[in-house]
Amino acid sequence: MMKKVFTLAILLITAFSISAQDMLEAMLTDSDETTNIRSTPGGNVVMKLNSGKDDSMKAYVFMLTSPQNGWWKIDDLWNAADDEEETVLQGSDTGEYWIHYSVLGVDTRNYGGQELYLREAPDEEANIVFTFNQELTLMPMDVQGDWVKVKVSGFDVIGWIEVEWLCSNPLTNCC
Protein backbone atom coordinates (compact mmCIF):
# COMPACT_ATOMS: atom_id res chain seq x y z
CA MET A 1 0.00 0.00 0.00
CA MET A 2 2.76 2.43 0.97
CA LYS A 3 4.59 1.69 -2.30
CA LYS A 4 1.42 2.54 -4.29
CA VAL A 5 1.00 5.86 -2.43
CA PHE A 6 4.66 6.72 -3.03
CA THR A 7 4.37 5.83 -6.74
CA LEU A 8 1.20 7.92 -7.05
CA ALA A 9 2.92 10.87 -5.37
CA ILE A 10 5.85 10.64 -7.80
CA LEU A 11 3.46 10.52 -10.78
CA LEU A 12 1.56 13.58 -9.54
CA ILE A 13 4.77 15.55 -8.98
CA THR A 14 6.01 14.59 -12.45
CA ALA A 15 2.69 15.55 -14.05
CA PHE A 16 2.71 18.91 -12.26
CA SER A 17 6.28 19.70 -13.32
CA ILE A 18 5.45 18.85 -16.93
CA SER A 19 2.31 21.03 -16.89
CA ALA A 20 4.21 23.84 -15.16
CA GLN A 21 6.70 24.12 -18.01
CA ASP A 22 7.36 27.59 -19.34
CA MET A 23 4.37 28.69 -21.39
CA LEU A 24 3.56 31.97 -23.09
CA GLU A 25 0.45 33.45 -24.64
CA ALA A 26 0.99 35.54 -27.79
CA MET A 27 -1.07 36.94 -30.66
CA LEU A 28 -0.65 36.63 -34.40
CA THR A 29 0.87 39.79 -35.89
CA ASP A 30 1.72 38.47 -39.36
CA SER A 31 1.14 41.05 -42.10
CA ASP A 32 0.76 38.37 -44.80
CA GLU A 33 -2.67 37.06 -45.85
CA THR A 34 -1.86 33.60 -44.51
CA THR A 35 0.45 32.30 -41.80
CA ASN A 36 2.21 28.95 -42.02
CA ILE A 37 1.91 26.35 -39.28
CA ARG A 38 4.54 23.62 -39.53
CA SER A 39 4.92 20.05 -38.25
CA THR A 40 8.45 20.67 -36.90
CA PRO A 41 10.59 23.79 -36.46
CA GLY A 42 11.28 24.89 -40.05
CA GLY A 43 9.60 21.73 -41.36
CA ASN A 44 6.70 21.06 -43.71
CA VAL A 45 3.76 23.46 -43.79
CA VAL A 46 0.72 21.51 -42.53
CA MET A 47 -1.79 24.38 -42.09
CA LYS A 48 -2.28 27.95 -43.20
CA LEU A 49 -4.14 30.42 -41.00
CA ASN A 50 -6.15 33.12 -42.73
CA SER A 51 -5.08 36.44 -41.25
CA GLY A 52 -8.52 37.98 -41.65
CA LYS A 53 -7.69 40.45 -44.42
CA ASP A 54 -10.93 39.37 -46.09
CA ASP A 55 -14.27 40.25 -44.49
CA SER A 56 -13.86 37.84 -41.58
CA MET A 57 -12.42 39.05 -38.30
CA LYS A 58 -9.47 36.98 -37.14
CA ALA A 59 -7.65 37.65 -33.90
CA TYR A 60 -5.61 34.53 -33.25
CA VAL A 61 -4.13 33.92 -29.81
CA PHE A 62 -1.66 31.11 -29.19
CA MET A 63 -0.60 29.24 -26.08
CA LEU A 64 3.04 28.44 -26.76
CA THR A 65 5.68 26.16 -25.25
CA SER A 66 9.10 24.69 -26.00
CA PRO A 67 10.86 27.56 -27.80
CA GLN A 68 13.61 26.29 -30.12
CA ASN A 69 15.85 28.56 -32.20
CA GLY A 70 13.10 31.04 -33.05
CA TRP A 71 10.27 28.49 -33.24
CA TRP A 72 7.43 27.93 -30.77
CA LYS A 73 5.41 24.77 -30.29
CA ILE A 74 1.68 25.56 -30.36
CA ASP A 75 -0.11 24.08 -27.37
CA ASP A 76 -3.46 25.74 -28.09
CA LEU A 77 -4.92 28.23 -30.56
CA TRP A 78 -8.14 30.23 -30.59
CA ASN A 79 -9.77 33.18 -32.33
CA ALA A 80 -10.44 35.91 -29.76
CA ALA A 81 -12.80 37.64 -32.22
CA ASP A 82 -15.09 34.60 -32.38
CA ASP A 83 -16.05 34.14 -28.72
CA GLU A 84 -12.60 32.63 -28.17
CA GLU A 85 -13.53 29.61 -30.28
CA GLU A 86 -10.72 27.08 -30.34
CA THR A 87 -9.13 26.50 -33.73
CA VAL A 88 -8.56 22.84 -34.50
CA LEU A 89 -4.98 22.04 -35.38
CA GLN A 90 -4.77 19.32 -38.03
CA GLY A 91 -2.58 17.79 -40.68
CA SER A 92 0.67 17.15 -38.80
CA ASP A 93 2.13 13.67 -39.02
CA THR A 94 4.23 14.43 -35.91
CA GLY A 95 1.22 15.50 -33.82
CA GLU A 96 2.99 18.80 -33.20
CA TYR A 97 2.43 22.29 -34.60
CA TRP A 98 5.08 25.02 -34.77
CA ILE A 99 5.15 28.73 -35.61
CA HIS A 100 8.03 31.21 -36.03
CA TYR A 101 8.44 34.00 -33.51
CA SER A 102 8.60 36.66 -36.24
CA VAL A 103 4.83 36.42 -36.87
CA LEU A 104 3.91 36.59 -33.17
CA GLY A 105 3.56 39.53 -30.86
CA VAL A 106 2.92 40.68 -27.33
CA ASP A 107 2.06 44.27 -26.51
CA THR A 108 3.53 46.11 -23.57
CA ARG A 109 1.19 47.16 -20.76
CA ASN A 110 2.78 50.50 -19.93
CA TYR A 111 -0.49 52.30 -20.72
CA GLY A 112 0.36 55.17 -18.36
CA GLY A 113 3.73 55.81 -19.97
CA GLN A 114 5.69 53.81 -17.39
CA GLU A 115 9.35 53.40 -18.20
CA LEU A 116 10.14 49.76 -19.02
CA TYR A 117 13.45 48.01 -19.47
CA LEU A 118 14.73 45.17 -21.56
CA ARG A 119 17.54 43.39 -19.77
CA GLU A 120 20.53 41.38 -20.92
CA ALA A 121 19.36 38.32 -18.93
CA PRO A 122 16.16 37.22 -17.17
CA ASP A 123 17.05 38.92 -13.91
CA GLU A 124 16.16 42.29 -12.33
CA GLU A 125 19.85 42.90 -11.63
CA ALA A 126 20.96 42.26 -15.24
CA ASN A 127 22.23 45.12 -17.37
CA ILE A 128 19.60 47.21 -19.17
CA VAL A 129 19.88 47.01 -22.99
CA PHE A 130 16.85 49.13 -23.93
CA THR A 131 14.63 51.65 -22.13
CA PHE A 132 11.24 52.85 -23.40
CA ASN A 133 8.03 54.49 -22.16
CA GLN A 134 5.78 54.09 -25.19
CA GLU A 135 3.61 51.03 -25.80
CA LEU A 136 5.36 48.60 -28.13
CA THR A 137 4.65 45.31 -29.84
CA LEU A 138 7.42 42.85 -29.12
CA MET A 139 8.23 39.53 -30.79
CA PRO A 140 8.62 36.74 -28.20
CA MET A 141 11.66 34.52 -28.71
CA ASP A 142 12.00 32.55 -25.47
CA VAL A 143 10.53 32.25 -21.97
CA GLN A 144 12.10 31.41 -18.63
CA GLY A 145 9.76 31.52 -15.66
CA ASP A 146 8.35 35.04 -15.37
CA TRP A 147 10.66 36.48 -18.03
CA VAL A 148 10.26 36.65 -21.82
CA LYS A 149 13.08 37.19 -24.30
CA VAL A 150 11.82 39.57 -26.99
CA LYS A 151 12.91 41.38 -30.10
CA VAL A 152 11.73 44.96 -30.50
CA SER A 153 9.99 45.39 -33.83
CA GLY A 154 11.66 48.12 -35.86
CA PHE A 155 14.79 48.13 -33.71
CA ASP A 156 17.76 45.79 -33.68
CA VAL A 157 17.29 45.13 -29.97
CA ILE A 158 16.80 41.85 -28.11
CA GLY A 159 16.32 41.63 -24.35
CA TRP A 160 14.33 40.15 -21.47
CA ILE A 161 11.19 41.65 -19.91
CA GLU A 162 8.97 40.48 -17.08
CA VAL A 163 5.79 38.80 -18.35
CA GLU A 164 3.61 40.99 -16.08
CA TRP A 165 4.25 43.89 -18.50
CA LEU A 166 2.93 41.98 -21.53
CA CYS A 167 -0.53 41.60 -23.09
CA SER A 168 -1.47 39.06 -25.75
CA ASN A 169 -5.04 40.21 -26.43
CA PRO A 170 -5.26 41.64 -29.97
CA LEU A 171 -8.71 43.17 -29.34
CA THR A 172 -8.23 45.10 -26.10
CA ASN A 173 -5.66 45.96 -23.47
CA CYS A 174 -5.01 43.75 -20.47
CA CYS A 175 -6.04 46.09 -17.64
Side-chain angles (χ1 to χ4, degrees):
M1 176 69 173
M2 193 64 158
K3 188 175 182 179
K4 287 182 180 180
V5 170
F6 181 73
T7 303
L8 181 60
I10 295 296
L11 288 172
L12 288 173
I13 290 168
T14 303
F16 177 77
S17 65
I18 290 169
S19 67
Q21 67 182 329
D22 294 334
M23 297 183 88
L24 179 70
E25 200 172 278
M27 62 187 154
L28 183 65
T29 58
D30 195 357
S31 60
D32 290 343
E33 286 187 32
T34 60
T35 301
N36 294 333
I37 305 295
R38 299 174 185 271
S39 59
T40 59
N44 294 331
V45 174
V46 294
M47 281 182 71
K48 289 186 178 276
L49 294 178
N50 177 351
S51 66
K53 292 190 189 305
D54 55 13
D55 291 337
S56 65
M57 176 62 174
K58 301 290 182 187
Y60 289 111
V61 179
F62 299 83
M63 184 58 71
L64 305 165
T65 62
S66 309
Q68 293 181 22
N69 300 319
W71 294 89
W72 287 93
K73 183 178 175 186
I74 302 170
D75 190 62
D76 200 7
L77 167 63
W78 62 93
N79 181 1
D82 194 13
D83 293 325
E84 297 192 7
E85 182 178 321
E86 188 172 353
T87 300
V88 177
L89 295 166
Q90 57 190 4
S92 174
D93 56 352
T94 65
E96 295 182 352
Y97 299 87
W98 294 81
I99 190 166
H100 196 260
Y101 85 92
S102 63
V103 297
L104 298 169
V106 287
D107 289 336
T108 58
R109 296 179 54 187
N110 53 335
Y111 308 128
Q114 297 93 330
E115 189 168 79
L116 297 181
Y117 310 101
L118 296 186
R119 298 192 178 268
E120 203 171 70
D123 182 334
E124 264 187 34
E125 301 301 317
N127 290 334
I128 296 170
V129 296
F130 190 68
T131 303
F132 59 99
N133 61 3
Q134 70 275 26
E135 295 172 42
L136 294 176
T137 298
L138 308 170
M139 294 178 280
M141 301 174 73
D142 197 356
V143 62
Q144 287 184 19
D146 292 335
W147 290 85
V148 180
K149 183 178 184 180
V150 295
K151 181 173 184 183
V152 181
S153 189
F155 295 87
D156 192 23
V157 176
I158 294 174
W160 292 86
I161 188 169
E162 291 175 288
V163 73
E164 72 182 83
W165 288 106
L166 303 177
C167 177
S168 62
N169 190 324
L171 302 178
T172 185
N173 62 32
C174 293
C175 286

